[in-house]
Amino acid sequence: MTRLGGHVSTRDNGATPRRRRWQVALLPFATVGLVAAGLVVTQTGAQAATWPTAKSTTTVTSTQSISGTRDFGLVRYKAGGAMGDGGQSESQKPIFELADGATIKNVIIGSPAADGIHCKGSCTLVNVWWEDVGEDAATFKGGSSANYTVDGGGARSASDKVFQHNGGGKLTIKNFDVSNFGKLYRSCGNCSTQYKRTVVIQNVTVTAPGKVLAGINTNYGDTATFSGITIYGDSSRKISICDRYTGNSSGAEPVKTGSGPDGTYCKYTSSNIVYR
């Protein structure tokens, strides 16, 4: 269901994680085309997921600065040295730091992922795959007029957050796959500088376990809009779609004030969420 500086490089055989069996006969034509292009199509339970095969693996010992557009051709990158162990320490370094306006495409973030990707301003992430999310998959740090887009790709094994929105502006997450996660998106609840933040989440496939798709701060005017969300393995509907908080700039723990659609801050209806 998914849509799609100092290096030590080692080859990778492209093996995929544990999966149950091939289901090519049940896949639509577009997905079969992806198989022909070298992507591995597998199925776990009721969900068909498409994850790329890494061409090689590169270990970095310092943050890689990216400007302009760079296509990585499905190379896996992971952290080495003192970058971080992929746990929840706030002192970890990003594998990639994107300048304002930068775009990265077709890259796999392996384990350890340290602090993933940082966007200093507007950025676009196309077909980026996090095999085991570290502290966060990506952190967005631009100003109030920044625009960020995550298009395609996926993330799994995020013990806390996948996408952390510390700056201002608008983030669009579309055609994405997430599984085994804490929060898919969190508008920073206690950053020293706060903003009004907007998130649009569309055509996203979610596989339990997970806790929350989006957490936003209503006192700063945040909004979260959802459409085309498909959730697998959550028959009891434990995954919260949208949580509302009162944020602060003091560093204190933000106070949760509610959950669910309200038409003002958390924008969706039951028709926007499908359970499988």
Side-chain angles (χ1 to χ4, degrees):
M1 293 295 296
T2 306
R3 281 84 43 192
L4 279 183
H7 299 171
V8 179
S9 182
T10 57
R11 296 299 300 177
D12 179 81
N13 63 11
T16 54
R18 294 188 305 273
R19 298 292 184 182
R20 291 172 60 182
R21 58 193 177 91
W22 289 93
Q23 296 287 338
V24 174
L26 301 179
L27 296 173
F29 177 80
T31 306
V32 174
L34 293 173
V35 177
L39 299 182
V40 176
V41 180
T42 58
Q43 176 166 336
T44 300
Q47 182 195 11
T50 304
W51 278 74
T53 301
K55 304 302 182 182
S56 63
T57 297
T58 297
T59 300
V60 298
T61 57
S62 63
T63 298
Q64 309 297 291
S65 297
I66 307 295
S67 59
T69 298
R70 183 167 175 184
D71 189 328
F72 288 87
L74 294 179
V75 172
R76 176 189 289 117
Y77 278 73
K78 64 180 182 177
M83 295 281 288
D85 62 3
Q88 290 303 301
S89 170
E90 297 284 345
S91 63
Q92 297 181 84
K93 298 177 182 179
I95 292 178
F96 297 113
E97 183 176 72
L98 276 59
D100 186 22
T103 296
I104 61 172
K105 301 179 179 182
N106 302 316
V107 64
I108 301 167
I109 309 296
S111 179
D115 202 23
I117 296 171
H118 286 188
C119 288
K120 298 174 69 176
S122 297
C123 66
T124 303
L125 313 181
V126 180
N127 237 22
V128 179
W129 304 83
W130 290 265
E131 294 178 323
D132 188 342
V133 174
E135 208 253 310
D136 297 313
T139 304
F140 303 96
K141 297 184 170 186
S144 58
S145 61
N147 278 285
Y148 325 92
T149 300
V150 176
D151 188 358
R156 54 194 178 199
S157 300
S159 58
D160 191 7
K161 301 174 297 296
V162 178
F163 298 122
Q164 175 73 30
H165 197 167
N166 288 352
K170 177 182 178 180
L171 169 62
T172 300
I173 305 165
K174 59 184 180 179
N175 310 319
F176 195 76
D177 178 85
V178 63
S179 61
N180 189 18
F181 63 102
K183 296 180 179 71
L184 173 60
Y185 168 89
R186 181 64 169 104
S187 172
C188 185
N190 53 14
C191 285
S192 58
T193 300
Q194 290 284 28
Y195 299 86
K196 176 186 184 299
R197 305 179 179 101
T198 300
V199 63
V200 175
I201 302 175
Q202 60 189 45
N203 299 330
V204 170
T205 300
V206 180
T207 303
K211 294 181 179 178
V212 184
L213 294 191
I216 60 174
N217 307 309
T218 59
N219 56 316
Y220 298 122
D222 292 357
T223 62
T225 304
F226 304 81
S227 63
I229 309 301
T230 303
I231 301 178
Y232 289 88
D234 188 28
S235 58
S236 59
R237 305 194 179 187
K238 292 182 179 181
I239 297 173
S240 175
I241 305 303
C242 187
D243 286 354
R244 297 183 294 276
Y245 293 84
T246 297
N248 64 77
S249 57
S250 67
E253 189 67 22
V255 176
K256 183 179 175 180
T257 59
S259 297
D262 62 2
T264 301
Y265 304 106
C266 294
K267 300 181 179 182
Y268 64 98
T269 66
S270 59
S271 64
N272 300 129
I273 316 295
V274 175
Y275 291 86
R276 301 290 191 193

